[in-house]
Structures are given as structure tokens and as C-alpha cells.
Amino acid sequence: MHLSKAVVPTEHASRYLQQLCKHWSHKFSVEFDPQKGRVPFSDTAEVTFAADDAALTMTLSVADTSQQERMQQVIDDHLKRFAFREELDIVWTD
């Protein structure tokens, strides 16, 4: 599995974590609470979230690196939609 991670500074990390997980729970077997969440998109891709007072940490795990950029973009787009009131700095690192 290939991992990439983004630590997004925001005071609303828990809110965004919960919104993202609730959104995806209609399609996937999502597990979450206010501090952590897990979205298994498929057998080969999943994202985990961790929220604290200062940031939302997202860790993406994919089996095939060809999925990585597309999945990062999907996650980014959804997060930006929920966080439309603030400008987020989302930078993924391997």
C-alpha cells in the first residue's frame, strides 16, 4: 500500500471530519467519531481522518499509485465544499 498524508490547519477539523464521513456513509462502510474516521472506498483505497483543535489530518492508502492523485483530488474537492467559509491549505506528502 502507498500512503500519502495531508495536515490541514483548521479550527473546524472535527466538524469537517464528521461531515465527510456522514457524506460517504451512504456509499461505504464508514466508521467515525468526533476525533477520528475511516472511509474504505474500495479494497484498494481508503482514507483515515484525525481531528484535533488545530488541524485535520488525512491519510490516504492506495494499492496502486495510479489511484493516488485522483483519490486525493476527490477528497480535496469534498473537503473544500464543506469548508467553503474558509480557505484551506491542503498539501499531500508521500
Side-chain angles (χ1 to χ4, degrees), residues 14-74:
S14 179
R15 179 190 319 164
Y16 299 147
L17 178 157
Q18 293 177 73
Q19 286 177 303
L20 288 164
C21 288
K22 285 177 188 174
H23 174 76
W24 280 315
S25 69
H26 300 289
K27 287 187 177 182
F28 308 106
S29 298
V30 173
E31 303 166 4
F32 72 98
D33 63 32
Q35 284 79 40
K36 63 186 180 318
R38 178 179 165 272
V39 181
F41 293 113
S42 68
D43 290 341
T44 61
E46 80 170 31
V47 65
T48 59
F49 300 104
D52 62 31
D53 293 339
L56 175 64
T57 301
M58 307 183 294
T59 305
L60 176 64
S61 173
V62 295
D64 184 354
T65 55
S66 66
Q67 297 176 287
Q68 195 168 26
E69 189 175 326
R70 185 179 71 79
M71 292 304 301
Q72 289 172 349
Q73 191 62 52
V74 167

